[in-house]
Amino acid sequence: MNLFDTVLRCVATLVVFLVFPLVIGQTEHKVMAHMQGRLGPMYAGGFHGWAQLVADGVKFAQKEDIVPAGADRRIFQLAPAVSLLPYLFVLLAIPVGPNGFVGQAVDAGLFFVLAVMGVGVIGKLMAGWASANKFSLLGALRTAAQLMSYELPMVLAAASVAMAAGTLSLPGIVDSFQWYWLPWQIIGAFVFFTAGLAELQRPPFDMPIADSEIIFGAYTEYTGLRFALFLLSEYAGILVVSALTAVLFLGGWHGPMSDQLGWLWMILKTFALAFVVIWLRVTYPRLREDQLMRFAWTGLIPLALVQLALTGIIKVAIS
């Protein structure tokens, strides 16, 4: 890999990181508007509310950037970047197509992406602690408790796929994919995708940032573009979780004419799962805090262990 190839891969990943989350955000406006009969997001700009995303961006840019007097300014200002940037690094390791169509192939890519995604919780803790606000700190602690609880079933579900493929490399997992994995790994797919939603604090797992609870959790004191960065990290997280689910459980770029159109199949699967994320937001009510934690420890973790045991049994039987 020469210097030009390296720069090209980095630029392509950065473009995807900057564009695709915005597309998902715009899609969420439209899907929710149709499903819930919302007129506002369908009005801005005229035809189908095409300017809604632009209006939101201008609104955030115009708002005053306020830092509380008692806040730790350096940590307060750094927290949004710490929440957002891990998703950029994860995108570098996700294979988009065959024949090396990936930002950077990592031998232990599965460990890498799961470890880096876990860094995002540090940004939320930094935001809550540095705000000099007891309610923000409490919201940050609830966020950390939720993310750490749902990290375990997510890792166990991913370990099942790694066991089935016999490798921790994401391109290797996609290369090893067989059609019969779909029914075989369906439990793991459900656990991984659901735990991913909980880590992103997406409805119905948005209790730590619910407006009916502690205003907006760790982000209470944030305004303007810094608050927008936290929202952008949510949409970037939807992109990453959907792409990882497609890679691990749906065959990634596999599909008809995959040698030529593998990248297209990967994008279609990713955005189909992103649509499911939006669909769930407008369908299910928010869980209470006790229900949310109970679902992780008594629901998803046992299911992930069952999937792991099933994978071990089938692998032994096949060998």
Side-chain angles (χ1 to χ4, degrees):
M1 186 183 299
N2 56 37
L3 179 61
F4 175 77
D5 191 28
T6 301
V7 172
L8 182 62
R9 289 169 185 261
C10 291
V11 170
T13 303
L14 184 61
V15 169
V16 169
F17 179 72
L18 295 176
V19 173
F20 278 27
L22 297 180
V23 173
I24 293 174
Q26 179 77 343
T27 303
E28 182 172 53
H29 279 303
K30 306 312 168 189
V31 171
M32 292 178 65
H34 282 294
M35 289 185 172
Q36 297 183 332
R38 299 184 176 190
L39 298 180
M42 306 301 290
Y43 180 80
F47 177 72
H48 211 69
W50 64 269
Q52 181 63 50
L53 190 65
V54 177
D56 286 341
V58 173
K59 176 188 69 175
F60 283 120
Q62 288 180 332
K63 288 186 175 181
E64 183 180 1
D65 181 22
I66 298 174
V67 178
D72 187 324
R73 295 184 64 90
R74 186 69 60 84
I75 302 300
F76 184 88
Q77 295 169 346
L78 189 61
V82 176
S83 292
L84 179 62
L85 288 181
Y87 296 116
L88 172 61
F89 299 140
V90 170
L91 282 178
L92 282 169
I94 296 178
V96 181
N99 305 318
F101 199 171
V102 58
Q104 176 61 53
V106 181
D107 291 338
L110 186 58
F111 276 167
F112 172 78
V113 298
L114 293 176
V116 173
M117 285 176 64
V119 173
V121 66
I122 298 177
K124 297 171 177 60
L125 283 172
M126 290 169 59
W129 178 82
S131 294
N133 182 319
K134 292 182 289 186
F135 297 104
S136 295
L137 179 58
L138 182 57
L141 292 175
R142 294 174 74 173
T143 296
Q146 176 173 322
L147 268 59
M148 288 187 287
S149 297
Y150 281 88
E151 186 77 19
L152 181 56
M154 194 175 189
V155 171
L156 291 175
S160 173
V161 179
M163 182 187 299
T167 179
L168 292 172
S169 168
L170 293 179
I173 290 174
V174 180
D175 288 334
S176 302
F177 178 82
Q178 302 294 332
W179 66 268
Y180 57 81
W181 282 20
L182 292 175
W184 172 18
Q185 297 288 337
I186 188 66
I187 298 176
F190 169 77
V191 171
F192 186 90
F193 189 66
T194 305
L197 292 183
E199 287 210 352
L200 297 176
Q201 300 175 92
R202 290 286 301 183
F205 304 101
D206 61 336
M207 179 58 67
I209 59 173
D211 52 2
S212 60
E213 287 296 309
I214 313 176
I215 311 175
F216 211 72
Y219 319 137
T220 302
E221 300 291 350
Y222 281 87
T223 60
L225 290 177
R226 287 198 177 89
F227 182 76
L229 287 177
F230 280 117
L231 295 183
L232 182 61
S233 70
E234 178 181 328
Y235 291 119
I238 294 174
L239 173 66
V240 166
V241 169
S242 299
L244 283 176
T245 305
V247 165
L248 296 176
F249 300 98
L250 300 180
W253 44 259
H254 282 289
M257 300 179 64
S258 60
D259 288 339
Q260 295 79 28
L261 300 177
W263 60 272
L264 180 59
W265 287 112
M266 179 63 186
I267 291 176
L268 289 176
K269 292 175 183 179
T270 299
F271 275 91
L273 290 170
F275 173 79
V276 174
V277 174
I278 299 169
W279 190 0
L280 291 173
R281 173 174 181 173
V282 297
T283 303
Y284 290 98
R286 179 180 297 126
L287 297 177
R288 294 196 316 264
E289 188 69 24
D290 60 315
Q291 293 173 329
L292 189 149
M293 300 301 287
R294 187 183 304 116
F295 183 62
W297 292 100
T298 65
L300 294 185
I301 290 178
L303 285 176
L305 292 174
V306 167
Q307 177 66 77
L308 201 60
L310 178 62
T311 300
I313 292 171
I314 294 178
K315 286 290 289 185
V316 169
I318 292 176
S319 61

